């Protein structure tokens, strides 16, 4: 391995993973909230 | 990431706007149902409102305002979702254990229902923790998954609490179900200690716990805002889940209907 292959040592790019993380957090929280709403008996929906 | 104005320069933050829209929705629903405009159907909705507003602002700060991390670059922004979800997973599971002990000591149903609610919400948070961890690992470690002590112990912790809910679903007798759920939850909590200490006990590729002294001040503030967002939303979700469990328990306790009289 050449020393030049090491690069700067700083991670570059990766924006897609950032967006995926934030999108997944919303998807999970909203999805779970929806599941709670659907499971709530009609009398308790307030 | 993207060129949007900094949060401090906005006349109204996205979180404040979300909160105002949510309040407006509640007011309109109250008016349409003939209730007082300020009526709040349940106390936990106040936590949900604050949590939602904080989450919107916290994620805006994480995506737009936060400085680039020195070594991880843009990828470091995943930290503002990953770390608060890790904190809250631990906090919620710790409360599961406290409620389980509370049930075994007092036998009160409210503790049993809280064990069920906190276990389920804790599992959701741990799924978020695992997913964001994998999305963090790929650009920084080069792989989504590695048989690393921290990753394995976190998965064991999540599966242990899933096992508690599976055990609960398998038992019909309410008394036995509550007792065994509490015992299972206390046993599962031991895996939480292993997860927390895994980066200190074994050689792990995962970094050790940071402290406010080792993180730049603007990053600490954004982490705290997101952590409080998750805390408030967790309280809201646990309370909503508790209401479902309570309604189910009341239905189970109701006497059976008399047999239909036929002529």
């Amino acid at each position: 391995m050449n020393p030049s292959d090491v690069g700067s040592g700083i991670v570059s790019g990766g924006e897609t993973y950032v967006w995926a993380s934030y999108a997944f957090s919303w998807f999970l929280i909203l999805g779970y909230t929806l599941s709670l709403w659907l499971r709530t008996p009609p009398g308790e929906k307030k | 990431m993207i060129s949007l104005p900094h949060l401090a320069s906005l006349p109204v933050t996205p979180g404040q706007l979300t909160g105002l829209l949510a309040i407006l929705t509640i007011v309109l629903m109250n008016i349409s149902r003939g209730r007082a405009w300020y009526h709040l159907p349940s106390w936990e909705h106040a936590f949900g409102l604050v949590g939602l507003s904080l989450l919107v602002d916290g994620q805006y700060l994480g995506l737009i305002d936060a400085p680039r991390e020195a070594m991880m670059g843009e990828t470091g922004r995943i930290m503002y979702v990953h770390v608060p979800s890790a904190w809250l997973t631990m906090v919620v599971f710790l409360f599961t254990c406290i409620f389980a002990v509370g049930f075994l000591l007092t036998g009160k149903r409210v503790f049993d229902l809280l064990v069920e609610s906190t276990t389920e919400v804790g599992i959701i948070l741990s799924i978020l923790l695992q997913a964001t961890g994998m999305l963090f690992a790929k650009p920084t470690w080069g792989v989504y998954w590695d048989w690393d002590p921290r990753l394995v112990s976190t998965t064991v912790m999540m599966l242990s609490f899933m096992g508690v809910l599976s055990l609960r679903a398998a038992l019909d007798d309410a008394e036995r179900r509550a007792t065994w759920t509490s015992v299972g939850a206390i046993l599962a909590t031991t895996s939480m200690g292993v997860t927390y200490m895994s980066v200190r006990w074994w050689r792990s590729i995962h970094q050790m716990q940071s402290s406010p002294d080792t993180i730049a001040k603007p990053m600490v503030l954004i982490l705290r805002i997101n952590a409080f967002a998750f805390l408030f939303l967790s309280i809201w979700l646990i309370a909503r889940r508790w209401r479902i469990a309570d309604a189910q328990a009341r239905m189970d306790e109701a006497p059976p209907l008399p047999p239909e009289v036929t002529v």
Side-chain angles (χ1 to χ4, degrees):
Chain A
M1 189 182 202
N2 295 319
S4 59
D5 293 338
V6 175
S8 62
I10 297 169
V11 177
S12 59
E15 285 88 350
T16 317
Y17 298 100
V18 177
W19 286 111
S21 297
Y22 282 70
F24 184 76
S25 69
W26 281 100
F27 170 77
L28 195 69
I29 291 167
L30 292 177
Y32 184 62
T33 304
L34 180 66
S35 94
L36 288 181
W37 174 255
L38 293 174
R39 286 187 285 165
T40 305
E44 299 287 325
K45 280 184 180 168
K46 51 186 182 179
Chain B
M1 288 285 291
I2 45 172
S3 55
L4 282 174
H6 285 255
L7 196 76
S9 65
L10 296 172
V12 181
T13 70
Q16 289 168 342
L17 199 63
T18 310
L20 285 171
L21 282 174
I23 290 170
L24 190 67
T25 310
I26 291 171
V27 169
L28 288 174
M29 278 173 70
N30 282 337
I31 292 169
S32 70
R33 290 176 184 181
R35 294 191 294 225
W37 64 270
Y38 51 82
H39 175 75
L40 198 64
S42 304
W43 61 267
E44 68 266 23
H45 291 317
F47 283 89
L49 262 174
V50 176
L52 182 68
S53 302
L54 283 175
L55 187 69
V56 171
D57 275 350
Q59 298 218 331
Y60 189 93
L61 285 165
L63 279 170
I64 312 298
D65 279 43
R68 288 175 86 249
E69 210 278 338
M71 303 306 291
M72 292 185 286
E74 299 293 355
T75 315
R77 295 179 193 280
I78 299 175
M79 177 172 69
Y80 304 110
V81 187
H82 181 65
V83 175
S85 65
W87 288 343
L88 263 297
T89 300
M90 293 290 188
V91 169
V92 170
F93 282 151
L94 189 65
F95 272 92
T96 305
C97 181
I98 291 168
F99 293 140
V101 172
F103 175 77
L104 291 178
L105 290 178
T106 66
K108 287 186 176 172
R109 194 185 71 176
V110 65
F111 287 119
D112 173 48
L113 301 181
L114 283 167
V115 169
E116 182 183 348
S117 313
T118 50
T119 304
E120 192 174 291
V121 173
I123 289 169
I124 294 296
L125 286 167
S126 62
I127 290 171
L128 181 61
L129 167 66
Q130 293 278 58
T132 53
M134 290 170 83
L135 290 164
F136 213 165
K138 179 64 179 165
T140 50
W141 298 348
V143 287
Y144 285 109
W145 175 261
D146 184 70
W147 293 100
D148 173 86
R150 172 49 76 88
L151 273 63
V152 173
S153 59
T154 309
T155 308
V156 168
M157 177 182 74
M158 185 178 73
L159 293 175
S160 301
F161 281 97
M162 283 179 172
V164 171
L165 285 191
S166 302
L167 177 71
R168 189 177 179 82
L171 295 170
D172 289 329
D173 180 60
E175 196 76 23
R176 282 182 66 213
R177 184 171 60 215
T179 305
W180 283 109
T181 303
S182 292
V183 171
I186 293 167
L187 289 174
T189 308
T190 57
S191 68
M192 209 173 83
V194 177
T195 302
Y196 185 80
M197 295 304 293
S198 59
V199 286
R200 294 170 188 267
W201 285 346
W202 298 291
R203 284 169 60 87
S204 173
I205 193 171
H206 193 284
Q207 69 160 83
M208 279 211 216
Q209 291 92 349
S210 300
S211 74
D213 298 330
T214 59
I215 308 173
K217 289 277 182 292
M219 291 179 165
V220 174
L221 179 69
I222 300 172
L223 278 171
R224 282 185 179 154
I225 290 171
N226 278 296
F228 274 103
F230 278 98
L231 175 67
F232 280 70
L233 284 174
S234 296
I235 293 171
W236 179 57
L237 292 171
I238 290 166
R240 295 311 298 169
R241 181 65 186 82
W242 179 80
R243 288 190 190 282
I244 296 171
D246 186 49
Q248 185 65 49
R250 276 186 278 121
M251 270 194 286
D252 291 346
E253 282 174 5
L257 292 171
E260 205 172 318
V261 179
T262 52
V263 181

